[in-house]
Amino acid sequence: DTAVSQTPKYLVTQMGNDKSIKCEQNLGHDTMYWYKQDSKKFLKIMFSYNNKELIINETVPNRFSPKSPDKAHLNLHINSLELGDSAVYFCASSQDAGEQFFGPGTRLTVL
Amino acid sequence: GENVEQHPSTLSVQEGDSAVIKCTYSDSASNYFPWYKQELGKRPQLIIDIRSNVGEKKDQRIAVTLNKTAKHFSLHITETQPEDSAVYFCAASNPNFGNEKLTFGTGTRLTIIP
């Protein structure tokens, strides 16, 4: 009965590699988000999709590319990983600008 | 864009005492103010929220107050318990983005001393 799920939970990779994180929600929500939480615990929005359409795109390097194949899924692909990309990435979803439900997070470590 | 400041960054209180966390926001158009609790290694979870048409909201030991004129809002936790230990985030959102874009404060690490 998991509401918002993410895979993988942990991701350790070398600089320069390309990696993807997947997110799925079974709440029937129309809107999904990607957040980045850095080592100081700052939580910052990266992207938001509403019904597969990009509605929020913060100043994120274009090495980050979200993709929403349908409204229940929002994936994040990162090219040419850098040390500064190390963080916990949270997916979230909401309906009608209500409560945002977060996934369990993906801890990305770039070596 | 919106800017949310949160204070204090760390807070330690004796079990049973009250804790207060304060936030200020910059955009007077913001009208939705949720509070999230994040336990160690876990996901943020909503604990209470308030919209700009009310000044106060309470849910058991937790209350939030909003002063629109001063553009600040506060979280109050009474009769604190060890399980209240966590990082708390305030946030604000703006109807221009359909209330979907949350700008978070920098977080308050609350420690309850048994």
Side-chain angles (χ1 to χ4, degrees):
Chain A
D1 60 348
T2 304
V4 183
S5 58
Q6 293 177 230
T7 54
K9 193 167 172 60
Y10 300 97
L11 194 47
V12 181
T13 188
Q14 299 286 333
M15 261 194 328
N17 283 351
D18 303 338
K19 289 293 177 188
S20 291
I21 307 171
K22 295 187 174 184
C23 178
E24 177 180 1
Q25 55 95 3
N26 63 5
L27 297 165
H29 290 167
D30 285 337
T31 307
M32 295 185 73
Y33 312 80
W34 278 111
Y35 286 89
K36 179 181 181 181
Q37 186 170 47
D38 62 22
S39 57
K40 292 184 180 177
K41 299 294 187 189
F42 296 156
L43 200 55
K44 195 159 162 40
I45 190 164
M46 300 172 69
F47 302 102
S48 175
Y49 272 74
N50 181 275
N51 255 321
K52 303 193 294 175
E53 185 182 336
L54 181 67
I55 56 170
I56 295 172
N57 184 350
E58 291 295 280
T59 46
V60 176
N62 57 14
R63 298 182 294 103
F64 289 77
S65 50
K67 267 209 175 90
S68 182
D70 55 62
K71 75 173 197 176
H73 296 85
L74 180 60
N75 304 322
L76 183 64
H77 187 76
I78 316 170
N79 287 329
S80 304
L81 278 156
E82 299 176 358
L83 292 176
D85 297 333
S86 295
V88 179
Y89 291 84
F90 285 101
C91 176
S93 73
S94 72
Q95 182 66 29
D96 297 331
E99 176 182 354
Q100 292 191 16
F101 290 82
F102 284 78
T106 295
R107 183 175 294 277
L108 172 65
T109 303
V110 182
L111 303 174
Chain B
E2 176 65 274
N3 183 44
V4 177
E5 294 191 0
Q6 183 172 346
H7 300 280
S9 56
T10 60
L11 179 61
S12 294
V13 300
Q14 210 70 36
E15 182 178 353
D17 287 351
S18 295
V20 180
I21 302 169
K22 298 184 179 183
C23 289
T24 60
Y25 60 99
S26 60
D27 189 343
S28 56
S30 290
N31 65 354
Y32 174 61
F33 308 93
W35 285 88
Y36 283 80
K37 175 184 180 182
Q38 186 177 24
E39 296 177 1
L40 189 61
K42 300 284 180 66
R43 72 192 79 190
Q45 291 190 287
L46 182 76
I47 53 171
I48 195 165
D49 56 11
I50 191 167
R51 296 194 183 267
S52 59
N53 56 345
V54 298
E56 186 174 354
K57 185 175 177 181
K58 196 171 178 183
D59 182 3
Q60 299 183 343
R61 297 186 297 109
I62 294 172
V64 57
T65 58
L66 171 65
N67 182 327
K68 281 182 61 180
T69 306
K71 289 190 281 187
H72 66 68
F73 56 113
S74 301
L75 178 72
H76 305 252
I77 307 174
T78 58
E79 300 170 25
T80 52
Q81 300 168 4
E83 53 264 36
D84 294 330
S85 292
V87 178
Y88 291 80
F89 293 94
C90 63
S93 73
N94 186 313
N96 291 334
F97 289 93
N99 281 106
E100 286 158 344
K101 181 182 173 182
L102 290 181
T103 300
F104 282 87
T106 48
T108 297
R109 184 176 299 279
L110 174 64
T111 303
I112 307 302
I113 305 163

